[in-house]
Amino acid sequence: MTALSTAAGIGSTRTVGTAALRVEDLRILTGRGRYVDDLKFPGMLHAAFLRSPFAHARILSIDVSAALELPGVVGIFTGADMAARTTGIEPLVAPPGFRSEPVFGLAIDKVRLVGDPVAIVVADSRYIAEDACELIDIDYEQLEAIGTFEQALDPSGPKVFESLDSNIMLEMSNSYGEVDESFAEAELIVRRTFAQHRVAQVPMEGRGGVSHFDPESGNFVYYTGTQSPHSLKGYISQALGVPLEQTRVVNGDIGGAFGLKIATHREDVALCAASYWLGRPVKWIEDRNEHLLASGQAREERMELEAAVNRDGTILAMRGTMVLDQGAYPAVPFVGGGIVGLIATMMPGPYAFRGFAMSSQVVASNKCTYSAYRAPWAMETWARERMINVIAAELDLDPAAVRRKNFAANDGSVSMLSGATLLDNSCAQTLERVLELGEYDRLRTEQAAARAQGRCVGIGFATFIEGAPGPAAGRGLNEQSIARVEPDGQLSIFTTQAPNGQGHETTLAQIASDEMGIPIGNVKIYHGDTADTPYALIGTGGSRAATLASGSVLHSSRKLKANVLELAAEMLEANPSDLVIEDGLIHPIGVPTVHLTLAEVAARAYAEPADTSEPVLAEPTLTAEAAYDGGIGSWSAGTHFCHVEIDLQTGQVKILRYLVVEDCGRMINPAVVEGQVRGGVAQGVGEVLFEWSAYDDQANFLAGTFMDYLLPTASEVPRIDIEHLENEPNEEVFFRGVGEGGLLIAPAAITNAIEDALSPYGAQINDQYLPPAKILELAKVI
């Protein structure tokens, strides 16, 4: 999509809406990316963590004397050091009534999961540090562990935190609309229990950091790869007692995060404390076993759900109970268990239910911390879209017909039961289009013929809305940005975002270059350094960037452009409204031969002639700031369509075709959008068919390597065909996020297809994890 505007102040070729090449890719694909492990400093030491082999045990004693004698070991710190010399950190964002204890960098009195960090060893090399870990002698008293929901809810069982009277960290009830009345009037009540299993985020680059305290200046810098630099900075300052103004967090390139790196981790605190106490830079890079074991895990919810329905397919209401396993320690600053409120709020989705109610519990267990993962509220979408298919089967109706019957209008006349507008949700359109593209009616006919031949084939689809970031987008957390013309005429944009693979250096540059009328190559996006970027509790996360960051950059660039035109008008003796910026040149409309460059205007702004008595601009530099709250904040929406065939000899599921029809408003960069969608779908394939962070009933971890924690490869991820819908914009910033929608809905589409394939065998899919053995069990083969 290319256009040329001759409106005052705007010109040159537009890049928004085009698949502009990603600015980051040349650096990253040619090996010039700069990640945490690339950093080296004079005198840098290396750290390794000694971790608990037990899920739950009291620490009776720790003897580090033999380890300290190993040549090359510089220091060893334990939980006792953390308790005496640091301040515990606590969640900043948690629901009312959430209970927790302060979190320290290392276990103090007892360990609460396999992989709990007990000591940090700092040495001249990682090899020496690892060897020293094996020389530390710890005497444990093993305790009974909590490994299941039933154990966590048993009041007579052991307590993960002995200062609390139970393992229930939070209880919450949400009720909207006419729940009891709807169930009283219903012609049928359908019940089902659904369970999501535990998974890991598995970014290509694990966690890590280089902590660097300079005793001479008192300045502390932590080089890492975090989604929330300013939040991490605050927690480091608090834990160590370093003044906030002398604390700095710096990101380089980040090799993926998927929500895991939005938290401040205990290893961050311990690593920074080691550097602070030793006065030297210290590096730690997480290995893959540590990542799978102790970095963070997601999902693991169980929902008992019932629906009040009429026999024509009308869904009057739903209600249920849910329990979520938060693991041993709460995530900081955003409590993972706090997602239960969002799950309840979002559960009705794009449907016009009369009522919905959910009672939720968050329990502690002796497992890894529950942390954010792409679409952390995904339980609501999976359970709802599964339940709609269950209802269709109970009533002998087509699942498409049940969805059509219950979709809410998208004209603003209907709101979600929780009060949020459903304006511009295009779910009904995406469903009809995906059924058309998938040739649904033809596939149903072919399915009957295939079953007659003994083949096991199924068709599934599911529909979602994604708060991207959704109505009331800012929620008091407006996105800020700074735009500045440098003395050489280049445009610098400083954003609160902390991109970790999404392509923000490209998309935000497209926004700024279009608004300023300059080539995209003349724009540089700065992010991830707390010394330069505006403050934000959240950096990158929650699909905020497409709407909030883009809107902020648009407005800061627009304000800056007005300053540029005002100063250029004075220099050209023209009216600002008569000037245009095209390809970086400022000239009167229709007179390109009379022009100024941005560098010439910048020279005037930064170094005005001595005989100028009054500056044209109030500020001596060409800088503008803006904040954006998300505006109306409507939804991204879509429907995914999955066609599968199952080999009943092996239990293998082959995805024959996967279709996506989505609407994310106006696309800034279609290639980036499609990359996000395909990546999310690939993770959804993994979540259903391959991945499981498995524990036994005593919370022993069983999936510490990629031999046990399986990931889909290019051979297992199908071709993903995508079509985009785009309705008329209802506001200027009509960009919607797509970072979570792919993973949000793919498990529902895939499991619906698998249940459809297995329906002749009476299979009911209640658990999301469907490896070959489970498939054969459902098909009654084993």
Side-chain angles (χ1 to χ4, degrees):
M1 175 174 136
T2 304
L4 187 66
S5 173
T6 56
I10 303 176
S12 68
T13 301
R14 313 284 286 179
T15 66
V16 169
T18 69
L21 294 178
R22 290 192 1 148
V23 173
E24 305 91 330
D25 287 354
L26 180 62
R27 176 179 78 246
I28 292 170
L29 295 176
T30 56
R32 289 180 289 154
R34 192 165 178 80
Y35 299 88
V36 174
D37 201 25
D38 294 318
L39 300 177
K40 296 178 176 62
F41 295 97
M44 186 172 73
L45 303 170
H46 297 264
F49 286 93
L50 177 64
R51 298 181 182 275
S52 167
F54 301 113
H56 199 195
R58 203 172 307 282
I59 300 173
L60 301 179
S61 65
I62 301 180
D63 184 355
V64 301
S65 57
L68 282 170
E69 292 176 0
L70 186 68
V73 172
V74 178
I76 300 175
F77 305 102
T78 67
D81 298 298
M82 295 294 156
R85 302 170 70 180
T86 68
T87 300
I89 60 176
E90 297 187 70
L92 183 63
V93 181
F98 181 83
R99 308 189 308 166
S100 66
E101 287 185 354
V103 176
F104 289 84
L106 300 170
I108 297 173
D109 55 344
K110 67 175 185 175
V111 294
R112 294 179 171 87
L113 71 145
V114 176
D116 208 345
V118 178
I120 181 172
V121 177
V122 183
D124 290 337
S125 74
R126 178 67 176 260
Y127 303 100
I128 296 172
E130 295 280 1
D131 288 344
C133 284
E134 297 183 5
L135 298 176
I136 298 175
D137 185 20
I138 303 181
D139 187 12
Y140 292 102
E141 176 192 354
Q142 196 167 354
L143 304 172
E144 186 180 351
I146 301 294
T148 67
F149 286 127
E150 289 72 23
Q151 292 167 351
L153 292 168
D154 183 354
S156 65
K159 307 297 184 291
V160 177
F161 294 97
E162 293 172 356
S163 65
L164 305 178
D165 58 5
S166 78
N167 292 314
I168 299 174
M169 301 293 103
L170 176 69
E171 293 185 289
M172 176 183 291
S173 293
N174 301 79
S175 184
Y176 308 102
E178 302 171 357
V179 181
D180 294 339
E181 299 91 331
S182 298
F183 274 85
E185 296 172 15
E187 297 174 0
L188 180 69
I189 296 176
V190 180
R191 297 179 175 88
R192 190 68 73 89
T193 297
F194 298 108
Q196 281 197 144
H197 57 293
R198 219 164 238 265
V199 294
Q201 292 87 346
V202 200
M204 291 181 68
E205 179 193 33
R207 299 175 298 157
V210 179
S211 53
H212 195 337
F213 177 63
D214 180 1
E216 184 174 338
S217 66
N219 292 330
F220 193 101
V221 184
Y222 187 38
Y223 300 90
T224 188
T226 174
Q227 294 174 245
S228 299
H230 288 275
S231 171
L232 178 56
K233 169 185 172 178
Y235 276 116
I236 292 171
S237 172
Q238 173 189 331
L240 302 186
V242 178
L244 193 63
E245 65 272 15
Q246 290 184 278
T247 307
R248 180 184 174 196
V249 170
V250 181
N251 277 347
D253 290 308
I254 304 176
F258 307 122
L260 173 69
K261 299 175 184 177
I262 205 167
T264 295
H265 294 270
R266 298 165 66 212
E267 291 88 346
D268 293 321
V269 174
L271 185 67
C272 290
S275 175
Y276 188 51
W277 296 335
L278 295 172
R280 292 174 63 180
V282 181
K283 176 190 281 189
W284 170 68
I285 301 297
E286 176 182 70
D287 65 34
R288 190 55 68 181
N289 177 251
E290 287 181 297
H291 170 77
L292 293 170
L293 189 68
S295 63
Q297 293 162 359
R299 310 303 193 239
E300 194 162 17
E301 305 96 0
R302 184 178 68 197
M303 183 183 292
E304 296 178 4
L305 191 62
E306 56 183 9
V309 302
N310 287 337
R311 295 195 178 277
D312 66 353
T314 301
I315 302 172
L316 303 176
M318 288 188 186
R319 66 187 177 194
T321 61
M322 177 174 57
V323 59
L324 178 151
D325 186 344
Q326 76 149 27
Y329 300 96
V332 176
F334 304 101
V335 171
I339 204 68
V340 295
L342 183 56
I343 290 173
T345 300
M346 290 291 296
M347 189 78 189
Y351 302 98
F353 300 166
R354 284 169 45 187
F356 177 77
M358 180 67 69
S359 296
S360 306
Q361 292 177 309
V362 176
V363 297
S365 72
N366 294 114
K367 299 179 184 177
C368 185
T369 295
Y370 183 108
S371 59
Y373 181 34
R374 209 169 189 173
W377 66 92
M379 182 61 180
E380 58 83 21
T381 298
W382 184 66
R384 182 191 66 241
E385 294 298 306
R386 285 290 303 116
M387 182 57 105
I388 291 174
N389 272 44
V390 170
I391 291 167
E394 288 277 346
L395 299 175
D396 196 24
L397 296 173
D398 191 292
V402 176
R403 287 174 171 81
R404 291 184 184 114
K405 184 79 174 176
N406 292 282
F407 277 138
N410 67 352
D411 58 4
S413 61
V414 179
S415 295
M416 294 182 72
L417 289 168
S418 56
T421 179
L422 284 171
L423 177 67
D424 284 337
N425 96 79
S426 53
C427 290
Q429 294 168 267
T430 66
L431 174 65
E432 298 306 327
R433 183 58 179 153
V434 86
L435 294 178
E436 179 185 354
L437 291 172
E439 299 181 273
Y440 180 54
D441 292 336
R442 178 182 65 80
L443 281 185
R444 282 297 185 200
T445 301
E446 292 180 357
Q447 181 185 45
R451 285 176 173 173
Q453 298 167 4
R455 294 170 58 200
C456 185
V457 293
I459 305 160
F461 44 86
T463 301
F464 73 98
I465 54 174
E466 175 186 358
R475 298 178 183 87
L477 300 172
N478 294 353
E479 189 88 5
Q480 301 180 73
S481 65
I482 301 169
R484 184 173 72 211
V485 175
E486 304 295 351
D488 63 356
Q490 295 290 302
L491 175 61
S492 296
I493 300 290
F494 299 86
T495 176
T496 62
Q497 291 294 307
N500 42 86
Q502 296 88 345
H504 295 161
E505 290 181 30
T506 302
T507 56
L508 296 183
Q510 287 180 263
I511 297 285
S513 68
D514 277 12
E515 189 61 33
M516 285 293 292
I518 63 177
I520 190 172
N522 291 5
V523 182
K524 173 70 174 177
I525 306 297
Y526 291 90
H527 55 82
D529 186 339
T530 59
D532 297 328
T533 57
Y535 175 82
L537 178 63
I538 306 173
T540 290
S543 294
R544 294 166 53 87
T547 302
L548 291 166
S550 298
S552 177
V553 168
L554 184 146
H555 287 293
S556 62
S557 299
R558 181 172 295 170
K559 288 174 67 175
L560 179 61
K561 179 176 64 180
N563 286 351
V564 168
L565 292 176
E566 185 178 350
L567 186 53
E570 191 273 340
M571 296 170 69
L572 293 171
E573 298 183 352
N575 190 305
S577 62
D578 294 330
L579 300 180
V580 67
I581 307 178
E582 291 183 325
D583 294 323
L585 299 178
I586 308 151
H587 61 81
I589 296 173
V591 191
T593 54
V594 178
H595 63 256
L596 294 169
T597 65
L598 274 178
E600 289 171 323
V601 174
R604 174 66 181 276
Y606 283 94
E608 293 181 335
D611 60 356
T612 301
S613 58
E614 293 291 336
V616 176
L617 300 175
E619 298 292 334
T621 59
L622 287 176
T623 302
E625 301 181 22
Y628 186 62
D629 65 1
I632 296 173
S634 54
W635 307 90
S636 286
T639 300
H640 288 208
F641 182 99
C642 183
H643 184 204
V644 303
E645 181 164 6
I646 298 173
D647 185 335
L648 294 179
Q649 297 297 314
T650 65
Q652 295 289 332
V653 177
K654 182 178 182 180
I655 298 177
L656 303 174
R657 191 173 184 197
Y658 200 99
L659 294 170
V660 174
V661 175
E662 61 80 34
D663 179 0
C664 63
R666 187 183 178 199
M667 289 185 288
I668 300 170
N669 187 311
V672 170
V673 168
E674 294 188 357
Q676 288 288 305
V677 172
R678 290 192 172 99
V681 172
Q683 288 173 305
V685 171
E687 192 167 302
V688 173
L689 300 178
F690 296 94
E691 302 179 45
W692 181 27
S693 294
Y695 289 82
D696 67 15
D697 288 351
Q698 292 302 306
N700 294 302
F701 190 57
L702 307 177
T705 74
F706 285 156
M707 291 288 288
D708 304 297
Y709 189 94
L710 304 182
L711 291 169
T713 69
S715 298
E716 288 84 32
V717 177
R719 170 177 171 152
I720 301 162
D721 296 318
I722 303 172
E723 181 169 300
H724 306 282
L725 300 183
E726 186 174 328
N727 291 308
E728 282 298 314
N730 58 20
E731 56 184 327
E732 182 180 22
V733 182
F734 198 60
F735 312 120
R736 302 289 173 253
V738 292
E740 290 158 306
L743 181 51
L744 178 67
I745 197 61
I750 296 167
T751 51
N752 282 344
I754 293 172
E755 185 176 79
D756 182 61
L758 296 174
S759 60
Y761 308 94
Q764 291 186 352
I765 292 179
N766 302 321
D767 299 327
Q768 191 180 97
Y769 182 51
L770 298 173
K774 182 67 173 179
I775 295 289
L776 295 176
E777 178 186 330
L778 289 166
K780 299 180 173 60
V781 174
I782 59 172

